[in-house]
Amino acid sequence: MCGDATNWDEHGYKDSILKDRDFQTRTVFRTAWAPSLNPNPDTLLVASSDGSIASYSISSCISNLNTHSGLFNTSNDRLLAQAQPSCFIQGHDGPTYDLKFYGDGEDALLLSCGDDGRIRGWRWKELTGSNCSVSSHGNDMKPILDLVNPQHRGPWGALSPIPENNAIAVNTQEGSIFAASGDSCAYCWDLETGKVKMVFKGHSDYLHCIVARNSSNQIITGSEDGTARIWDCKSGKSVQVIDPGKDFKLEGSVSWVGCVALDASESWLACSSGRNISLWNLPASECISRISTQATVQDMLFENNQILAVGADPLLNRFDMNGVILSQIQCAPPSAFSISLYPTGVVAVGGYGCCVDVISQFGSHMCTFHCQCV
């Protein structure tokens, strides 16, 4: 028996297919824990490929898991909650790539950067007290800080496109915000005036990442040109060039530095190049060890004397300083772009499919949830 196609809506059907495909390919590029004195982490910030920034209550996600509310299974048969954000704002036109908190407590600023070349800031206290819903796209909450990368003037006065910001770092003592930009430069912005204080030029290709080494008033950048550079923030000059592939033959034809991480003492630097991590002792300017991974490393951080790394496979890897793998934990995102660490050892991993996995300090999965999208 044939169905009645009289009221068939072909355009609606096509739109539903495209929306479903877009929904499945949304990506979490950054997760960040909100500042808190509570030993149990609760509020997690998520920056996504649709430009949104949302905060989620971990206790609510765990409660949804316990009550089996709004759940479906992941590819590895783990329950995934459809989480509702407690606050939602449209941060950028295009993907939001990074989040950082400037300061602590109620006076902290939530900073973000994205593909539109902007750095934006909101008062965290106002965000937590607001009612920014998904339905309003968070457009009612205007940033108190809105910085735009400078354009370069070319032949006949033509202006270049505004370069994207791929990562940000902060130095609260100097009142500075640093941005790793797509025009191969790093920028230092003065928070008070909203003006560029310094431009760091020296890389030959766009920047992927940046960290602030505040104890030495330096920044460290990683670039598509295959090098990491250490910069003096007073002079704006490069004081050291680190080439992870110079002394070691890397596996595969990989040359970019995708992410960098500093330990708490700011004496150890980890650089990722494709499926390799090199560990550098900065006072000695020496590469101490090299770690090979199963997939391209897309984010990493230090926890005490260990390195936590995630990448283009659904694994949270933990290494010691000699490169020995200590553990591997299966994660919900099939490809992970972000890892963030709460002071008590709880880890949040975000990535492809707009999935976030929250893992306890003991290695168990506290909750796994799917982020809300525009």
Side-chain angles (χ1 to χ4, degrees):
M1 182 176 179
C2 297
D4 184 5
T6 306
N7 297 319
W8 172 251
D9 184 359
E10 184 174 354
H11 292 293
Y13 175 73
K14 288 180 178 179
D15 287 344
S16 67
I17 295 295
L18 291 174
K19 286 181 180 179
D20 183 61
R21 183 183 300 173
D22 183 52
F23 180 76
Q24 293 179 18
T25 57
R26 294 284 171 88
T27 301
V28 171
F29 283 121
R30 183 63 59 199
T31 57
W33 293 105
S36 174
L37 298 177
N38 190 339
N40 298 314
D42 189 56
T43 304
L44 182 70
L45 279 294
V46 173
S48 302
S49 58
D50 62 358
S52 65
I53 302 168
S55 64
Y56 294 89
S57 167
I58 301 304
S59 59
S60 296
C61 292
I62 295 174
S63 176
N64 287 340
L65 285 173
N66 293 333
T67 59
H68 295 81
S69 174
L71 302 177
F72 54 93
N73 286 333
T74 64
S75 58
N76 51 17
D77 293 328
R78 195 159 60 249
L79 287 178
L80 183 68
Q82 180 64 56
Q84 292 295 323
S86 51
C87 182
F88 186 96
I89 54 177
Q90 186 62 36
H92 295 269
D93 295 326
T96 301
Y97 290 133
D98 201 5
L99 296 173
K100 287 289 186 301
F101 277 96
Y102 185 97
D104 298 315
E106 293 184 345
D107 295 329
L109 283 180
L110 173 63
L111 302 175
S112 68
C113 72
D115 197 58
D116 56 5
R118 294 179 179 273
I119 299 173
R120 286 178 164 166
W122 294 263
R123 294 193 188 279
W124 177 236
K125 182 179 181 180
E126 294 178 6
L127 284 179
T128 55
S130 66
N131 185 23
C132 305
S133 64
V134 177
S135 59
S136 69
H137 289 189
N139 292 328
D140 296 335
M141 201 67 196
K142 302 301 181 184
I144 63 168
L145 182 73
D146 195 354
L147 310 175
V148 186
N149 275 345
Q151 295 173 274
H152 304 287
R153 193 170 296 277
W156 302 287
L159 289 175
S160 68
I162 298 174
E164 77 277 8
N165 285 319
N166 294 312
I168 49 178
V170 300
N171 184 337
T172 55
Q173 293 180 342
E174 299 292 330
S176 301
I177 303 170
F178 303 97
S181 181
D183 60 358
S184 76
C185 296
Y187 294 93
C188 175
W189 295 85
D190 184 271
L191 179 67
E192 197 69 32
T193 64
K195 304 294 184 182
V196 174
K197 293 196 293 186
M198 187 79 68
V199 181
F200 304 89
K201 296 181 179 180
H203 283 291
S204 61
D205 213 331
Y206 64 88
L207 306 189
H208 286 284
C209 49
I210 188 168
V211 293
R213 193 185 184 199
N214 293 334
S215 61
S216 303
N217 198 19
Q218 296 174 332
I219 58 169
I220 304 173
T221 53
S223 170
E224 182 71 10
D225 65 14
T227 66
R229 286 178 178 255
I230 302 178
W231 306 84
D232 177 61
C233 292
K234 289 185 178 180
S235 65
K237 298 185 180 299
S238 175
V239 297
Q240 185 178 349
V241 179
I242 296 173
D243 187 350
K246 182 179 180 180
D247 299 321
F248 300 101
K249 184 178 180 181
L250 298 179
E251 298 178 8
S253 56
V254 173
S255 61
W256 74 90
V257 175
C259 53
V260 292
L262 276 173
D263 78 326
S265 70
E266 299 190 341
S267 297
W268 294 91
L269 174 72
C271 299
S272 77
S273 296
R275 292 183 289 113
N276 296 271
I277 300 171
S278 56
L279 182 63
W280 298 76
N281 182 282
L282 294 181
S285 300
E286 183 180 0
C287 183
I288 302 302
S289 63
R290 184 171 67 93
I291 305 168
S292 294
T293 60
Q294 297 177 8
T296 299
V297 178
Q298 294 172 159
D299 197 19
M300 60 185 175
L301 53 80
F302 282 89
E303 183 183 15
N304 300 322
N305 293 320
Q306 298 174 357
I307 300 171
L308 279 64
V310 295
D313 59 1
L315 292 174
L316 168 60
N317 301 286
R318 185 182 292 268
F319 304 94
D320 68 13
M321 301 289 273
N322 295 315
V324 176
I325 189 161
L326 302 175
S327 67
Q328 288 184 317
I329 299 174
Q330 194 82 17
C331 297
S335 180
F337 288 89
S338 173
I339 177 173
S340 55
L341 178 69
Y342 197 71
T344 55
V346 177
V347 170
V349 176
Y352 189 78
C354 253
C355 292
V356 175
D357 220 342
V358 181
I359 302 169
S360 76
Q361 57 269 50
F362 308 109
S364 60
H365 294 270
M366 296 174 62
C367 68
T368 305
F369 63 92
H370 195 288
C371 300
Q372 185 70 265
C373 298
V374 175

